[in-house]
Amino acid sequence: MDKDFLHNIPEESAENLYENSPCGYFSFLADGTIFRINKTLLNLLNYKEKEEVAKVKKIQDLLRIGGKIYFETHFFPLIKMQGFVKEMNVDLLRKDGSYFPALINVNQISSTQGNSTIYRASVLDITDRKKYEKVLLEGKRKAEEASKAKAEFLSTISHEIRTPLNAIVGIGNLIQKTSLDDVQKEYAKILQLSSDNLLELVNNLLDLSKLEADMVKLEERNFSLKELLEVLFHSFKMRARKKNIELKKDFPKDLPEHLLGDPVKLNQILTNLLGNALKFTKEGYIRLKIKELKSNDEAVELQFTVCDTGIGIPKDKLNIIFQEFSQASYDVNQEFGGTGLGLTISQKLLQMHGSQLHVSSEEGKGSEFSFALKFKFSTETSPKGRKTPRLKEFLANSGARVLVVDDNSVNLLIASKYLKGWGLAHETVASGEAAIQEVKESKYDIILMDLHMPKMDGYEASIEIWKICQEPPPVIIALSASGRGDVNLKMKRAGISAYVSKPFDPTDLQEVMVEYLNDRKSDPRTTKK
């Protein structure tokens, strides 16, 4: 560019810069009286001459009624206290009575004349910003609605899938207890394995949809870490043995036992990690290690690590394994199956705790996943762990009578077969109305209640049963294909004491029944919620 040309450009005066600034400017006194205003703001207010805006007199006259009240009650006290106000949203009135959204910044400036104080304000028209914000908020609202709709859809679908799946799992368990030849045993084994895989898929989809819709909340309750780990380790030890893989544990001798936290989510995370390690390990070992990081009189921070000698993960794939429905490669998916949701769910659950899952891996040599969680110490003792071998014996000798309520005939058949095998006297009915009539005529210790039934659902039936039940009242246990998080509050209001998800593990149902039969003298409305 020609230097002479630049040299000949007239210098812009400070006054010109002030008058034609991209922002509107005005100055006012402590009582709000405006004594100076630039052309930019005049144009925004649709005034042609400064003499016209002089009729406005005070800044309050440029504001709508709500803004006037705000200025009197908040603005002036605030600026007198701190000397400035930053990014205040107001609506400014134009000459014709219309208004536009503005962003105002105000600074206090000491006057050179006397002891009076003046204020200078910059004004930015944010009409376009407000439009964009509205679009973004609308987009956010639609996204939230879509997420909620997806969660509701998956919840409904999972319920519809769980109902027939309960029949498949139940019949599969019952078939294996009958006399079978070798071929039939193999068929029954395949049936059970396939139904377990399908159930895991449904559970993972439901868990993910709830996490994305913020429908999952952390709980804080008393639990025994020792018992949780014993049950978890026993469960995976059996599965590892079938693959000829050694399952190791490395726990400190002084591992804290009674803690406050969310044992269900901890168990879910560890189950996902151990399940993944078992799936991708063909030989060698899997190790669950726990290390104490920090501890004081009130809380402890523990590090959990699951390592294996499996196929490992390529370095360039480590950043995608936590994505939904993602696995290291197509070949891995074809060979080992699965949805790739386990790690995603675990990471989201840990993020709820303020933690995260870390991974290190070498292809062909194995992987290591670790995370840290803080727990408060509990002075209470936890409920006793599983005593599986004695459950059936206890139930058979309890003399308890059970009523099964379900509108699905197959579900009634499966529950009836289980109860008969456990030596429990029982009756079955196919509706809430029939359950109420049965309770009027006979005394029951336990009622296994389906929640979703036509005409009268399980909640309504439970409420009516509480109105007519004799002392001691029966324990009502929900047997439902809905996720527990969806029904907790409604169960409590209906006086339902416990929940077992369909399809259910027979041992889980036995444990719940034994727990409440041991506590028959307590009111189920106020215990074990």
Side-chain angles (χ1 to χ4, degrees), residues 303-368:
Q303 183 183 59
F304 298 83
T305 303
V306 175
C307 56
D308 62 64
T309 56
I311 63 173
I313 306 166
K315 287 186 178 180
D316 62 336
K317 301 296 182 182
L318 287 175
N319 61 335
I320 69 166
I321 59 172
F322 297 115
Q323 296 176 12
E324 298 166 17
F325 305 102
S326 296
Q327 292 188 344
S329 71
Y330 176 79
D331 292 338
V332 167
N333 180 271
Q334 289 296 300
E335 182 177 356
F336 297 95
T339 60
L341 288 177
L343 292 179
T344 303
I345 292 170
S346 297
Q347 187 73 290
K348 289 181 180 291
L349 290 174
L350 286 169
Q351 287 169 353
M352 291 177 64
H353 286 84
S355 180
Q356 62 178 324
L357 195 56
H358 300 279
V359 57
S360 62
S361 183
E362 188 173 347
E363 192 172 6
K365 293 188 177 181
S367 305
E368 180 178 293

Side-chain angles (χ1 to χ4, degrees), residues 118-377:
I118 63 173
Y119 302 93
R120 182 178 296 154
S122 63
V123 178
L124 182 66
D125 183 356
I126 56 172
T127 301
D128 289 338
R129 182 191 294 189
K130 288 292 184 181
K131 289 179 181 177
Y132 298 144
E133 285 178 359
K134 187 176 181 180
V135 171
L136 289 172
L137 288 172
E138 181 66 15
K140 181 175 180 289
R141 183 187 65 79
K142 288 182 178 179
E144 289 172 347
E145 287 181 355
S147 179
K148 184 179 179 182
K150 184 176 77 170
E152 291 175 351
F153 171 75
L154 286 174
S155 179
T156 301
I157 289 297
S158 72
H159 179 272
E160 295 304 313
I161 294 175
R162 282 174 186 267
T163 300
L165 191 55
N166 181 60
I168 296 171
V169 173
I171 293 296
N173 285 330
L174 292 172
I175 286 176
Q176 293 189 72
K177 298 181 184 299
T178 62
S179 299
L180 301 172
D181 58 34
D182 291 342
V183 175
Q184 290 170 329
K185 285 180 181 177
E186 184 64 22
Y187 290 165
K189 184 178 178 182
I190 293 172
L191 175 64
Q192 184 181 29
L193 180 62
S194 299
S195 59
D196 287 343
N197 288 339
L198 181 57
L199 178 59
E200 181 182 2
L201 171 61
V202 173
N203 288 338
N204 281 341
L205 287 171
L206 185 59
D207 288 341
L208 181 63
S209 68
K210 288 181 178 179
L211 284 165
E212 290 182 341
D214 291 327
M215 295 170 65
V216 178
K217 304 297 180 185
L218 288 178
E219 296 182 5
E220 187 177 87
R221 66 173 189 255
N222 173 58
F223 73 99
S224 168
L225 179 60
K226 180 181 177 182
E227 290 176 4
L228 183 152
L229 293 172
E230 281 181 355
V231 173
L232 184 70
F233 198 82
H234 176 76
S235 162
F236 276 93
K237 194 170 185 178
M238 303 282 288
R239 294 167 59 182
R241 190 178 298 162
K242 290 180 181 179
K243 293 186 69 174
N244 294 319
I245 296 171
E246 185 180 2
L247 184 61
K248 301 179 180 181
K249 58 182 177 180
D250 184 359
F251 304 160
K253 292 182 180 179
D254 56 347
L255 183 69
E257 181 171 354
H258 302 297
L259 301 172
L260 283 173
D262 196 323
V264 174
K265 293 177 181 60
L266 173 61
N267 185 74
Q268 188 174 2
I269 294 166
L270 291 175
T271 297
N272 284 340
L273 295 182
L274 287 170
N276 259 15
L278 189 61
K279 180 193 296 185
F280 297 116
T281 303
K282 294 182 178 180
E283 58 182 7
Y285 67 86
I286 297 168
R287 176 184 285 118
L288 173 59
K289 181 180 179 180
I290 301 177
K291 178 182 177 182
E292 185 177 301
L293 299 179
K294 298 177 186 176
S295 180
N296 55 38
D297 294 338
E298 298 180 352
V300 62
E301 183 175 9
L302 299 174
Q303 183 183 59
F304 298 83
T305 303
V306 175
C307 56
D308 62 64
T309 56
I311 63 173
I313 306 166
K315 287 186 178 180
D316 62 336
K317 301 296 182 182
L318 287 175
N319 61 335
I320 69 166
I321 59 172
F322 297 115
Q323 296 176 12
E324 298 166 17
F325 305 102
S326 296
Q327 292 188 344
S329 71
Y330 176 79
D331 292 338
V332 167
N333 180 271
Q334 289 296 300
E335 182 177 356
F336 297 95
T339 60
L341 288 177
L343 292 179
T344 303
I345 292 170
S346 297
Q347 187 73 290
K348 289 181 180 291
L349 290 174
L350 286 169
Q351 287 169 353
M352 291 177 64
H353 286 84
S355 180
Q356 62 178 324
L357 195 56
H358 300 279
V359 57
S360 62
S361 183
E362 188 173 347
E363 192 172 6
K365 293 188 177 181
S367 305
E368 180 178 293
F369 291 86
S370 64
F371 63 92
L373 286 179
K374 294 179 181 178
F375 299 96
K376 295 178 183 177
F377 288 118

Side-chain angles (χ1 to χ4, degrees), residues 17-32:
L17 289 172
Y18 171 79
E19 290 291 348
N20 300 291
S21 167
C23 294
Y25 283 102
F26 67 94
S27 302
F28 58 96
L29 302 175
D31 64 351

